[in-house]
């Protein structure tokens, strides 16, 4: 059985890096007396995989991790215990038990939704009218240019900022900082990840809905 | 005023590890909403970066002692890394506490821990960032009291002009009383007056030092010595079971339970072995209770049983298997720092590696039997080779050996003996596995105050370097690795370890000119120090490489560690004769004086491990 956990990172938790997050959850699960299962080898690690790394400084209300517990427990029990054990600024939203056969969240996800908040919202919204959005960076000493536009599915104004849904995951990944860099926006920007999605038959589902 | 969080958000691309400044870690204590209930606010300062400071357990003990009472709030501060310091300066933000981003100036008291001499410039640097004058006499009555404790407080003299007070010895009980005084008294002068009545508290401005023409000390007045504070029964001492759990990886990030304080083996170079006497063990019941309650509140995956020589804990033989029975299924690893060189230690290592394979490090300290006898390290070559044999036979492929270079009376022969020993251990390893590896690590010996070697003239840097190269040339070959430390840093350490008040000016000068993080190789700038000594016409050799006479008044003579100077001198003489002194637990009192002087007893809970 795979247990999928949906959580968030707010306030100062945004500064907890991806590597550190693994320790945060391992320790929270230990405090919650959840029976972790471990990898083999000289230095066993808990079987726990995060769906999609989040950049340092970005808050989120849609993070996921798949954890394999040694013993099956009702999802409500896991939810309750984990909720009590997680540190401040790591809200817990949902826990769902899934069959072993599901595709791991890390491999399944295809899109992520971000909200950008800064003084240059108009310029972000203008992406809608651009034919291309060229992002250039140096990779191994070579300048590489890439058009991000085809990988952006949606740009819209919301009450809290500009929402952009773009490709995410192992196939194609658009980092929010790449969008800012392509627009040459250097103003201080708050970025919030709303959720992560799996595109399935033309619809977006979340990793909790895998079957 | 900007907070650390504001700064991290604003300068995200400029701050390498914002996790250092989060301050809202699990179990951190926040009393922002109860400010009106507080009668004293203090800040515990560690003069190094977060990852180093958060590995220090003393800080967590004091944090707990203050914060368990609703009327006190202790926050933390560490030396900001240069990237953070830069943006703080740009935004004109003074040094802030971690928990509430409050300027340090608003505290009643700032307490620094003195763990190593090369952190002194960081203390001054932090005070300046906090917008406080580094010199005690220039600080206002409204400024916080600035005090310090920790091992280096046993020779506080180089820092005498910066601090209002030093706490010498075990801090648990004194700190609680200091807090009560802060609550009772609001004037700085009154507070200090009450501090001075506490055990272990030293107020440097109440003492005057007179010098002879040859720069040695003529007299320290008054002659009243400051006796170290001592906790008699560790079972009754406060100990946190809900320590702050950092988000970022720190040097030691685990449950730490101190199984005993003090060590009676009597290694003559070891300051900790002299200043923390006598041995006081915690009971196994208490140790277990502390471990399990801490695991429950932190979720740590590793537990360390700490002390100066954990294999000497009299109940270890029973404790380790008891713990492993519970830890193994939970995948919690146990670590035992400072293993002895004997088969008992290999058995222990074998027991604890069931969860996580760890390396093995042994510290013969010196290469030849003559020198090991001189430093009173009661270990023979046979002990080491038998231990190595047992380790390789049990599947270890890599052993680390730790030595010091520059010990008293050391000759090239003693250096070559290190190489020979390293090679012998490798040969044993090679009999078991082709991958057999030995790492020889050396550091330069720094004579410390309150030890039998406090009179000894440290070897010159050139001589230390020559010996390092000699060793390096003789330690070549497959399966041999050699590490060494920078003699330049050890020299400076030696100057301050046995320095006096006149050095305050040099420390302030060096800090003003950019010396900080001196213990970090990439920041260490010996040229600034050289310049500083010249400006104040101070010869650093006077402190480091000059042998001191028996009758000489030493700067730290006013600090009473409980171990008397006669004992130290006789140990120094016995060292030069190659005579050893045995552990008083085995042979009875050897006359160091600590039990009688401090009215404290050795506390052992079980049989001694053989």
């Amino acid at each position: 059985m795979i247990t999928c956990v949906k959580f968030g990172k707010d306030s100062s938790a945004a500064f907890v890096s991806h590597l550190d997050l693994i320790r945060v959850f391992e320790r929270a699960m230990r405090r919650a007396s959840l029976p972790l299962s471990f990898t083999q080898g000289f230095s066993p690690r808990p079987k726990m995989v995060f769906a999609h790394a989040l950049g340092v400084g970005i808050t989120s209300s849609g993070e996921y991790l798949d954890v394999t517990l040694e013993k099956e427990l009702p999802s409500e029990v896991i939810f309750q215990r984990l909720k009590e054990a997680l540190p401040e600024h790591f809200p817990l939203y949902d826990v769902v038990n899934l069959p072993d056969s599901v595709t791991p969240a890390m491999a399944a996800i295809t899109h992520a939704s971000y909200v950008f908040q800064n003084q240059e919202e108009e310029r972000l919204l203008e992406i809608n009218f651009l034919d291309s959005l060229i992002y250039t960076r140096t990779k191994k000493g070579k300048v590489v240019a890439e058009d991000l536009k085809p990988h952006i599915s949606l740009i819209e104004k919301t009450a809290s900022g500009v929402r952009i849904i773009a490709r995410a995951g192992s196939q194609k990944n658009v980092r929010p900082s790449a969008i800012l860099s392509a627009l040459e926006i250097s103003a201080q920007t708050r970025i919030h990840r709303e959720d992560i999605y799996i595109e399935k038959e033309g619809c977006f589902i979340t990793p909790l809905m895998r079957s | 005023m900007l907070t650390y969080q504001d700064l991290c958000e604003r300068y995200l691309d400029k701050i390498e590890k914002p996790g250092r400044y989060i301050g809202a870690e699990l179990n951190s204590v926040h009393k922002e909403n109860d400010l009106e209930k507080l009668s004293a606010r203090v800040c515990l300062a560690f003069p190094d970066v977060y990852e180093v400071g958060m590995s220090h357990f003393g800080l967590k003990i004091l944090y707990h002692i203050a914060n368990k009472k609703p009327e006190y709030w202790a926050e933390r501060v560490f030396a900001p890394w240069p990237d953070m310091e830069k943006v703080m300066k740009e935004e004109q933000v003074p040094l802030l506490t971690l928990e509430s981003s409050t300027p340090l100036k608003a505290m009643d008291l700032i307490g620094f821990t003195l763990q190593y001499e090369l952190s002194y410039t960081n203390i001054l640097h932090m005070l300046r960032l906090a917008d406080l004058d580094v010199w005690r006499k220039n600080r206002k009555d409204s400024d916080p009291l600035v005090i310090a404790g920790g091992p280096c407080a046993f020779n506080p003299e180089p820092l005498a002009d910066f601090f209002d007070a030093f706490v010498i010895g075990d801090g648990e009980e004194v700190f609680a009383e200091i807090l009560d005084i802060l609550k009772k008294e609001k004037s700085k002068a009154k507070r200090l007056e009450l501090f001075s009545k506490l055990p272990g508290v030293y107020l440097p401005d109440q003492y005057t030092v007179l010098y002879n023409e040859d720069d040695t000390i003529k007299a320290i007045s008054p002659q009243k010595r400051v006796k170290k504070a001592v906790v008699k029964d560790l079972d009754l001492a406060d100990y946190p079971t809900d320590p702050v759990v950092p988000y970022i990886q720190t040097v030691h990030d685990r449950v730490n339970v101190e199984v005993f304080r003090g060590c009676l083996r009597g290694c003559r170079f070891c300051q900790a072995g002299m200043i923390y006497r006598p041995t006081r063990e915690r009971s196994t019941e208490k140790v277990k209770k502390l471990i399990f309650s801490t695991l429950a509140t932190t979720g740590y995956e590793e537990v360390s049983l700490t002390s100066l020589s954990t294999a000497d804990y009299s109940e270890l033989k029973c404790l380790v298997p008891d713990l492993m029975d519970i830890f193994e299924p939970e995948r919690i690893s146990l670590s035992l720092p400072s293993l002895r060189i004997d088969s008992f230690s290999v058995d222990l290592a074998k027991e604890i590696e069931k969860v996580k394979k760890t390396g093995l490090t042994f510290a013969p300290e010196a290469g030849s039997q003559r020198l090991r006898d001189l430093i009173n390290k009661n270990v023979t070559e046979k002990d080491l080779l038998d231990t190595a044999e047992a380790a390789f036979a049990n599947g270890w492929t890599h052993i680390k050996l730790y030595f010091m270079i520059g010990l008293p009376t050391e000759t090239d022969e003693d250096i070559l003996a290190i190489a020979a020993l390293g090679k012998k251990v490798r040969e044993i390893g090679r009999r078991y596995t082709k991958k057999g590896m030995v790492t020889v690590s050396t550091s330069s010996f720094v004579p410390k105050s309150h030890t039998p070697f406090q009179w000894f003239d440290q070897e010159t840097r050139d001589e230390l370097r020559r010996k390092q190269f000699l060793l390096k040339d003789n330690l070549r070959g497959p399966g041999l690795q050699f590490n060494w430390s920078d003699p330049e840093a050890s020299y400076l350490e030696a100057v301050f370890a046995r320095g006096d008040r006149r050095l305050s000016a040099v420390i302030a000068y060096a800090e003003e000119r950019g010396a900080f993080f001196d213990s970090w190789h990439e920041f260490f700038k010996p040229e600034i120090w050289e310049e500083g000594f010249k400006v104040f016409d101070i010869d650093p050799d006077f402190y480091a490489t000059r042998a001191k006479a028996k009758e000489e008044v030493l700067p730290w003579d006013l600090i009473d560690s409980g171990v008397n100077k006669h004992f130290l001198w006789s140990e120094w003489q016995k060292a030069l004769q190659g005579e050893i002194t045995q552990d008083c637990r085995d042979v009875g009192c050897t006359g160091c004086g600590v039990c009688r002087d401090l009215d404290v007893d050795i506390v052992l809970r079980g049989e001694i491990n053989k």
Side-chain angles (χ1 to χ4, degrees):
Chain A
M1 192 190 68
I2 285 173
T3 303
C4 184
V5 174
K6 181 181 183 183
F7 65 97
K9 284 169 88 177
D10 61 41
S11 184
S12 56
F15 301 119
V16 176
S17 73
H18 186 66
L19 271 178
D20 297 333
L21 194 62
I22 297 171
R23 271 197 308 277
V24 169
F25 271 87
E26 173 174 353
R27 289 173 185 169
M29 293 199 190
R30 285 180 179 276
R31 290 192 296 276
S33 308
L34 294 172
L36 289 163
S37 63
F38 289 85
T39 59
Q40 301 293 313
F42 282 151
S43 112
R45 306 297 316 154
K47 289 185 185 163
M48 192 158 66
V49 185
F50 289 84
H52 191 40
L54 183 68
V56 172
I58 304 179
T59 54
S60 173
S61 49
E63 297 302 296
Y64 299 86
L65 72 93
D66 287 343
V67 59
T68 311
L69 296 182
E70 215 162 46
K71 206 177 82 192
E72 273 189 40
L73 284 172
S75 55
E76 308 80 59
V77 172
I78 301 173
F79 183 88
Q80 210 44 52
R81 285 205 221 158
L82 193 55
K83 194 176 172 63
E84 275 166 36
L86 274 171
E88 208 189 347
H89 304 310
F90 289 91
L92 183 67
Y93 300 119
D94 212 344
V95 172
V96 173
N97 285 330
L98 299 170
D100 278 328
S101 56
V102 296
T103 314
M106 199 169 73
I109 63 147
T110 58
H111 290 79
S113 169
Y114 297 95
V115 173
F116 294 76
Q117 211 184 12
N118 62 16
Q119 301 298 322
E120 313 232 25
E121 293 187 355
E122 291 308 315
R123 293 184 56 202
L124 284 163
L125 290 167
E126 272 167 25
I127 299 175
N128 271 322
F129 309 106
L130 301 175
D131 294 329
S132 61
L133 180 64
I134 305 300
Y135 168 55
T136 49
R137 63 187 157 142
T138 39
K139 202 175 172 183
K140 290 179 192 161
K142 273 188 209 159
V143 180
V144 187
E146 185 191 10
D147 186 5
L148 302 179
K149 185 75 201 278
H151 308 305
I152 295 178
S153 317
L154 175 88
I155 302 167
E156 64 179 5
K157 175 101 182 84
T158 72
S160 51
V162 176
R163 171 181 294 136
I164 297 182
I165 298 183
R167 288 295 301 272
S170 47
Q171 296 288 317
K172 181 72 228 164
N173 191 46
V174 179
R175 283 183 298 117
S177 58
I179 297 173
L180 292 175
S181 153
L183 289 169
E184 290 176 0
I185 292 178
S186 54
Q188 197 191 337
T189 306
R190 272 191 189 192
I191 307 172
H192 177 79
R193 183 144 83 189
E194 290 183 301
D195 218 329
I196 305 172
Y197 303 107
I198 300 163
E199 190 175 17
K200 200 177 174 191
E201 293 151 14
C203 294
F204 281 158
I205 63 166
T206 75
L208 295 172
M209 292 145 87
R210 280 169 295 163
S211 55
Chain B
M1 171 89 64
L2 293 175
T3 63
Y4 278 123
Q5 191 170 337
D6 297 332
L7 291 167
C8 289
E9 273 174 21
R10 231 175 251 197
Y11 296 95
L12 190 59
D13 51 339
K14 290 194 177 139
I15 294 168
E16 182 200 357
K17 284 190 184 171
R20 286 171 175 151
Y21 313 99
I22 289 178
E25 310 97 312
L26 183 77
N27 298 337
S28 60
V29 179
H30 288 264
K31 301 189 180 179
E32 287 94 332
N33 301 326
D34 297 302
L35 291 181
E36 71 286 351
K37 288 184 202 147
L38 298 175
S39 13
R41 287 183 73 173
V42 303
C43 183
L44 301 172
F46 194 104
D48 209 319
V49 73
Y50 179 91
E51 296 92 306
V52 176
M54 279 303 287
S55 306
H56 175 57
F57 210 76
L59 183 119
K60 299 187 179 181
I61 296 177
L62 299 181
Y63 190 75
H64 164 76
I65 289 175
N67 287 325
K68 70 172 190 179
K69 294 203 177 158
E71 68 262 40
Y72 306 131
W73 189 13
E75 301 181 65
R76 295 161 294 154
V77 72
F78 302 95
W81 198 245
D83 55 358
M84 177 54 105
E85 182 186 326
K86 195 159 168 270
V87 307
M88 290 177 89
K89 279 187 173 158
E90 266 172 45
E91 294 282 0
Q92 297 188 311
V93 175
L95 190 60
L96 307 170
T97 61
L98 216 51
E99 279 77 0
S100 67
S101 283
T102 305
L104 260 61
K105 243 186 165 165
M107 298 289 123
D108 289 284
L109 176 145
I110 303 168
F112 280 92
T113 178
L114 309 177
Q115 294 294 315
Y116 30 89
E117 291 80 2
L118 295 188
S119 67
Y120 290 174
T121 50
N122 276 23
I123 297 172
L124 271 56
H125 199 66
M126 288 167 76
L127 288 174
R128 278 210 301 140
L129 291 175
D131 199 19
L132 287 165
D133 204 295
V134 300
W135 301 99
R136 176 186 56 243
K137 62 176 172 21
N138 297 344
R139 285 195 295 266
K140 298 194 223 52
D141 279 349
S142 57
D143 286 335
L145 284 163
V146 183
I147 70 166
C152 292
F154 278 83
N155 179 22
E157 286 305 278
L159 300 172
D161 292 340
F162 307 124
F163 285 97
D164 294 295
F166 294 93
V167 177
I168 319 296
D170 299 333
E172 286 98 333
E173 292 162 6
V174 188
F175 187 57
E177 298 198 53
I178 283 178
L179 290 164
D180 290 342
I181 291 172
L182 295 179
K183 179 184 175 178
K184 251 196 322 237
E185 263 313 328
K186 295 297 161 191
S187 103
K188 200 178 215 178
K190 280 268 176 61
R191 282 173 167 179
L192 283 169
E193 195 196 317
L194 292 175
F195 283 6
S196 72
K197 299 194 167 93
L198 299 175
V201 172
Y202 165 53
L203 303 187
D205 73 333
Q206 295 191 344
Y207 287 78
T208 314
V209 183
L210 302 171
Y211 300 95
N212 294 311
E213 257 173 38
D214 66 357
D215 277 336
T216 56
I217 295 173
K218 190 173 181 183
I220 302 171
S221 94
Q223 284 197 322
K224 195 182 121 207
R225 300 178 75 207
V226 178
K227 227 174 240 200
K228 80 166 180 188
V230 66
V231 168
K232 291 184 180 180
D233 185 347
L234 283 198
D235 271 12
L236 302 177
D238 254 319
Y239 203 84
T241 51
D242 55 350
V244 175
V245 181
Y247 284 121
I248 65 169
Q249 182 102 59
T250 57
V251 181
H252 297 305
D253 193 12
R254 56 196 187 193
V255 176
N256 273 297
V257 173
E258 185 190 25
V259 288
F260 65 88
R261 195 170 298 173
C263 173
L264 296 168
R265 303 206 138 235
C267 297
R268 288 166 179 146
F269 57 86
C270 179
Q271 191 192 39
M274 297 295 160
I275 63 175
Y276 293 122
R277 283 175 177 224
T279 293
R280 286 145 292 155
E281 294 190 338
R282 268 200 173 83
S283 67
T284 322
E285 299 72 48
K286 183 78 183 181
V287 168
K288 283 185 186 164
K289 226 171 117 184
L290 292 173
I291 290 174
F292 292 113
S293 28
T294 312
L295 282 171
T297 59
T298 61
Y300 272 124
E301 57 291 318
E302 185 180 346
V303 174
S304 179
L305 302 179
T306 62
S307 74
L308 293 170
S309 175
T310 296
D312 287 342
Y313 180 55
S314 62
E315 303 220 78
L316 199 66
K317 213 179 235 169
C318 307
L319 179 62
V320 169
D322 278 6
L323 290 177
M324 288 314 295
D325 281 349
I326 297 162
F327 288 179
E328 208 186 331
E330 301 276 334
R331 306 291 210 289
I332 293 166
S333 60
L334 182 64
S335 78
L336 304 171
S338 59
L339 284 176
R340 295 190 315 222
I341 301 175
D342 55 21
S343 59
F344 173 65
S345 291
V346 176
D347 290 344
L348 286 171
K350 219 173 122 187
E351 178 81 20
I352 64 177
E353 68 144 1
K354 284 176 188 163
V355 173
K356 196 172 163 192
K357 193 116 189 161
T358 53
L360 272 183
T361 303
F362 297 107
E365 318 280 5
S368 66
Q369 196 58 49
R370 183 189 73 81
L371 261 195
R372 281 195 298 273
D373 288 346
L374 184 137
I375 61 174
N376 207 41
K377 183 87 188 180
N378 259 320
V379 164
T380 63
E381 178 166 319
K382 186 173 179 304
D383 292 334
L384 178 67
L385 298 182
D386 288 351
T387 308
E389 178 101 36
F392 286 120
N394 279 296
W396 271 274
T397 58
H398 186 182
I399 287 181
K400 289 183 197 164
L401 300 175
Y402 172 81
F403 297 93
M404 282 182 287
I405 290 185
L407 288 164
T409 77
E410 184 181 78
T411 63
D412 285 1
E413 236 169 86
D414 299 307
I415 296 292
L416 294 173
I418 297 177
L421 204 51
K423 284 176 178 164
K424 276 183 199 165
V425 172
R426 177 191 59 178
E427 289 328 307
I428 296 170
R430 290 283 153 130
R431 275 199 272 117
Y432 289 90
T433 163
K434 270 190 202 146
K435 290 186 289 182
M437 268 282 290
V438 176
T439 299
V440 172
S441 291
T442 61
S443 65
S444 306
F445 171 60
V446 178
K448 297 273 168 138
S449 65
H450 300 280
T451 68
F453 292 169
Q454 64 183 1
W455 291 276
F456 169 66
D457 43 330
Q458 191 190 32
E459 288 235 271
T460 63
R461 285 160 283 177
D462 286 342
E463 187 59 8
L464 288 168
R465 267 183 222 109
R466 188 188 67 78
K467 286 179 172 176
Q468 281 181 348
F469 281 115
L470 176 67
L471 182 52
K472 194 171 168 226
D473 284 340
N474 284 280
L475 258 178
R476 294 181 200 278
L480 286 172
Q481 258 181 6
F482 178 50
N483 298 327
W484 65 93
S485 65
D486 178 11
E488 211 60 59
S490 308
Y491 175 71
L492 197 61
E493 201 183 316
V495 172
F496 293 116
R498 292 181 299 165
D500 59 38
R501 293 185 168 202
R502 290 170 293 191
L503 291 173
S504 290
V506 185
I507 300 173
Y509 177 92
E511 190 277 330
E512 273 170 38
R513 274 152 194 79
F516 77 145
F517 283 114
D518 291 305
S519 61
W520 293 69
H521 192 70
E522 63 265 47
F523 291 111
F524 184 49
K525 303 178 198 84
E527 62 285 357
I528 295 181
W529 288 102
E530 230 167 89
E531 199 187 294
F533 289 123
K534 265 196 205 118
V535 168
F536 293 94
D537 194 24
I538 285 175
D539 177 13
D541 284 349
F542 173 80
Y543 300 102
T545 58
R546 179 182 62 92
K548 283 124 189 91
K550 183 186 180 188
E551 37 311 315
E552 191 173 329
V553 178
L554 301 169
W556 54 93
D557 277 353
L558 61 105
I559 303 292
D560 181 6
S561 75
V563 176
N564 64 61
K565 210 172 170 182
H566 305 294
F567 173 78
L568 295 177
W569 180 262
S570 85
E571 279 296 291
W572 176 220
Q573 296 311 304
K574 279 172 85 178
L576 296 173
Q577 307 296 322
E579 273 177 59
I580 57 165
T581 298
Q582 281 182 325
D583 192 322
C584 60
R585 284 177 305 189
D586 301 332
V587 297
C589 181
T590 51
C592 80
V594 75
C595 296
R596 203 183 48 203
D597 189 48
L598 301 174
D599 186 27
V600 58
D601 284 323
I602 298 173
V603 182
L604 298 177
R605 309 281 177 173
E607 296 290 311
I608 298 165
N609 301 309
K610 292 284 170 167

